[in-house]
Amino acid sequence: MPDREPSTYYGNIYKIPITDFYKFAVSVDCVIFGYELGKLEVLLIQRGAEPYKGQWAVPGDLVYPYENIDNAAKRVLGELTGLTDMYMDQAKAFGEVDRHPVGRVVTIGYFSLIKKELHNPQASSWAENLEWHDVNTVPQLAFDHNEILNASLDRLRKRARRQPLGFNLLPDKFTLLELQGLYESLLGEKFDKPNFRKKVLDMKLLEPLNEVQRNVKHRPAKLFKFNESRYNELKKDGFDFAI
Amino acid sequence: MPDREPSTYYGNIYKIPITDFYKFAVSVDCVIFGYELGKLEVLLIQRGAEPYKGQWAVPGDLVYPYENIDNAAKRVLGELTGLTDMYMDQAKAFGEVDRHPVGRVVTIGYFSLIKKELHNPQASSWAENLEWHDVNTVPQLAFDHNEILNASLDRLRKRARRQPLGFNLLPDKFTLLELQGLYESLLGEKFDKPNFRKKVLDMKLLEPLNEVQRNVKHRPAKLFKFNESRYNELKKDGFDFAI
DNA sequence: ACAAAAGTGTTATCGCTACACCCATGT
DNA sequence: ACATGGGTGTAGCGATAACACTTTTGT
């Protein structure tokens, strides 16, 4: 924050003293998505602090005065769940006057995608508990968090069709059928196996590994990994990801 | 805002007194797009108040303590330009610590689309002047408004491909070639006339009027209007707008 | 041998691209 | 008559949807 004090007056037509404007708090709320066993899930915490103590909520907290909002989202998520290093993007801001019972809090909704196999979230700080919930059976949440969750899910679904976001929800190595299953539960749509394979392999974004599934009681499937740098190259040449 | 006072303490791990958090201001900034003569334009105001007095900027101002952010965006736009009743949607929030020289201000970026023929914006309040600028030749703007503008333009372009937003930039009655020209400058892409006609007419979203162009020195084109209620019906049945 | 899922190939159809062409109006 | 844009028709190509089929592993 700059080291100047707010001036005593701001150029508003109603001549309201500027100090009256500087009474907002800003928070960040992070909707965390994960995928396992064919289900799209969302990580919720149980609040160990007022207000809404004991209720389920999306991890979120107030932004510090000297902290930018993207960093705040990462910090808060780390403090409450221990999660770091995941895909994260802004979803939408929520600014209803009475959305927070303690005062005027405008919140910026973020959504994150995590590879469940690589992360092990643990409740900490004022999060008393932490649990994955199927996105289709989410309980009533604190504040306006149901609305935030739905808006984030909406944006995730739209963006996942045009950007290769799905790979952030799978392990680094995955089979084509796992990828297909992910997109099916994400988009709520069935795909034809041979056609899905062709489409996704034709994009040249998947790198086949010299490795196959283990401990399956059928023919083991080849493992692939997503080649992100290749995607960035192709994008420069006008390539358009689409599922 | 609820009539409770903020409690003196918030459930944050560092035990910071809650009053330290309630020192943000929140603003809204509205990027207004218009279209005329084959050019996509953006409406800028010249600031008549500090900071950045005299500089060009996107219309925006602080949100009142008792006002939700969507309403604030409409109010501010009305106060500074006289504009009302247009398409408006959130683009993105901007929350760098030092983005505002007067204090900590987190801003919510909105973008609006207006039909230039139906609106006549006038600078008022602390807006000293007001001018349409070609989106390709925007001057250096106050605050981080260039960034806000670019992000909004980006989102407009993406959303315009999947939602019928273009109609908000044309007069109520328009010809198919005008529509094509709009999408060409919006998306920076040329379309084949016969194919564009077919695609857009096949959607059944355009209502042909018993009216043609006037005062043109060639065969006058038929006028159409966008049927929004039809779009909403089709959307329920899974129809997907795409240009 | 059988179950289960991996993986491949082929055909028919649909939609789109790229054109060529004709039409109506003002000068 | 001609310039200008309005408006239509069609052939061919390419993507993809639908489906049948073969392969590999574990039990």
Side-chain angles (χ1 to χ4, degrees):
Chain A
M1 189 156 66
D3 52 14
R4 270 165 282 182
E5 281 298 299
S7 61
T8 54
Y9 170 71
Y10 190 74
N12 187 285
I13 55 170
Y14 297 118
K15 314 288 184 198
I16 296 174
I18 188 165
T19 48
D20 283 6
F21 287 101
Y22 282 82
K23 291 186 172 168
F24 288 72
V26 173
S27 66
V28 288
D29 286 301
C30 310
V31 181
I32 314 197
F33 294 103
Y35 173 77
E36 197 168 12
L37 302 175
K39 298 275 186 197
L40 185 64
E41 300 175 328
V42 61
L43 187 66
L44 300 176
I45 62 167
Q46 199 164 20
R47 292 179 60 85
E50 294 293 348
Y52 292 102
K53 185 167 178 169
Q55 277 213 39
W56 291 99
V58 161
D61 208 338
L62 298 179
V63 176
Y64 290 148
Y66 289 85
E67 180 183 43
N68 89 34
I69 56 176
D70 291 348
N71 291 343
K74 284 176 214 149
R75 171 185 60 81
V76 165
L77 201 49
E79 284 174 9
L80 294 172
T81 70
L83 293 170
T84 54
D85 295 321
M86 78 285 288
Y87 174 88
M88 191 178 243
D89 195 7
Q90 250 192 56
K92 187 175 185 297
F94 294 82
E96 290 297 327
V97 172
D98 57 1
R99 60 168 298 283
H100 196 298
V102 169
R104 182 68 199 271
V105 182
V106 169
T107 198
I108 318 295
Y110 284 79
F111 73 90
S112 297
L113 307 178
I114 81 158
K115 310 182 181 203
K116 282 188 73 174
E117 285 76 358
L118 300 185
H119 291 94
N120 185 24
Q122 299 287 342
S124 58
S125 177
W126 54 265
E128 290 232 310
N129 199 352
L130 169 159
E131 218 171 62
W132 288 102
H133 288 251
D134 189 314
V135 288
N136 299 309
T137 57
V138 169
Q140 205 198 321
L141 303 179
F143 307 102
D144 50 359
H145 284 192
N146 287 97
E147 194 191 343
I148 295 176
L149 197 162
N150 290 334
S152 299
L153 188 52
D154 225 66
R155 277 176 164 59
L156 168 61
R157 286 184 168 137
K158 285 205 173 106
R159 291 182 199 172
R161 287 189 178 275
R162 294 270 148 194
Q163 289 165 244
L165 299 186
F167 305 102
N168 297 299
L169 289 164
L170 287 181
D172 288 334
K173 305 171 179 182
F174 50 83
T175 72
L176 293 180
L177 231 67
E178 283 164 1
L179 185 65
Q180 178 178 342
L182 165 68
Y183 275 102
E184 286 179 344
S185 40
L186 194 56
L187 304 176
E189 196 178 333
K190 284 284 173 194
F191 297 103
D192 176 85
K193 182 178 55 158
N195 293 337
F196 185 87
R197 290 177 72 85
K198 267 174 282 183
K199 177 185 248 174
V200 82
L201 287 176
D202 284 353
M203 291 185 200
K204 310 289 184 196
L205 293 176
L206 297 189
E207 205 169 295
L209 303 172
N210 287 324
E211 208 174 332
V212 294
Q213 274 182 317
R214 301 182 63 108
N215 301 322
V216 287
K217 57 182 183 191
H218 54 74
R219 172 176 174 179
K222 204 180 193 44
L223 293 172
F224 291 82
K225 74 183 187 75
F226 175 61
N227 188 333
E228 179 149 16
S229 57
R230 179 126 184 79
Y231 170 65
N232 290 324
E233 278 174 41
L234 289 173
K235 203 166 49 167
K236 274 187 219 144
D237 304 346
F239 168 75
D240 212 16
F241 180 89
I243 287 282
Chain B
M1 192 155 65
D3 51 15
R4 271 165 280 181
E5 281 298 300
S7 60
T8 54
Y9 170 70
Y10 190 74
N12 188 285
I13 54 169
Y14 297 118
K15 312 291 184 197
I16 296 174
I18 187 162
T19 47
D20 282 7
F21 287 101
Y22 283 83
K23 291 185 172 168
F24 286 72
V26 173
S27 66
V28 287
D29 286 301
C30 310
V31 180
I32 314 197
F33 293 103
Y35 173 76
E36 198 168 12
L37 303 174
K39 297 275 187 198
L40 186 65
E41 300 175 329
V42 60
L43 187 66
L44 300 176
I45 61 167
Q46 200 163 21
R47 292 180 60 86
E50 293 296 348
Y52 293 102
K53 185 166 178 169
Q55 277 214 39
W56 291 100
V58 160
D61 208 339
L62 298 179
V63 176
Y64 290 147
Y66 288 85
E67 180 183 45
N68 88 35
I69 57 177
D70 290 349
N71 291 344
K74 286 176 211 148
R75 170 184 60 81
V76 165
L77 201 49
E79 283 175 9
L80 293 173
T81 68
L83 292 170
T84 55
D85 295 321
M86 78 285 288
Y87 175 88
M88 190 177 244
D89 197 7
Q90 250 191 55
K92 188 174 184 297
F94 294 82
E96 290 297 326
V97 172
D98 58 0
R99 60 169 298 282
H100 196 298
V102 170
R104 182 71 199 270
V105 182
V106 169
T107 198
I108 318 294
Y110 284 79
F111 73 89
S112 298
L113 306 178
I114 80 157
K115 309 182 181 205
K116 282 187 71 173
E117 285 76 358
L118 302 183
H119 290 95
N120 185 24
Q122 299 287 341
S124 58
S125 177
W126 55 265
E128 289 231 310
N129 198 352
L130 170 159
E131 218 172 60
W132 288 102
H133 289 250
D134 189 314
V135 288
N136 299 308
T137 58
V138 170
Q140 207 201 318
L141 303 178
F143 307 101
D144 51 358
H145 284 193
N146 287 97
E147 194 191 341
I148 295 177
L149 197 162
N150 290 334
S152 299
L153 187 53
D154 224 66
R155 277 179 165 57
L156 168 61
R157 286 184 168 138
K158 286 208 172 103
R159 291 183 198 171
R161 287 188 179 274
R162 294 271 150 193
Q163 288 165 246
L165 298 187
F167 305 103
N168 297 298
L169 289 165
L170 286 180
D172 289 334
K173 303 170 180 184
F174 50 84
T175 72
L176 293 180
L177 233 66
E178 282 164 2
L179 185 66
Q180 180 178 341
L182 165 68
Y183 275 102
E184 286 179 345
S185 39
L186 195 56
L187 304 176
E189 196 179 334
K190 284 283 175 195
F191 296 103
D192 176 85
K193 183 178 55 158
N195 294 336
F196 185 85
R197 292 177 70 85
K198 265 173 286 183
K199 179 185 247 175
V200 82
L201 288 176
D202 283 353
M203 291 186 200
K204 308 290 185 195
L205 293 177
L206 297 188
E207 206 168 296
L209 302 171
N210 286 324
E211 208 174 332
V212 292
Q213 273 182 318
R214 302 182 62 109
N215 302 323
V216 287
K217 59 182 182 192
H218 53 73
R219 173 175 173 180
K222 204 179 189 52
L223 293 173
F224 291 82
K225 74 185 189 72
F226 174 61
N227 188 333
E228 179 150 14
S229 56
R230 180 125 182 78
Y231 170 65
N232 290 324
E233 277 174 43
L234 289 173
K235 201 165 51 166
K236 274 186 222 148
D237 304 347
F239 167 76
D240 212 15
F241 180 88
I243 287 283

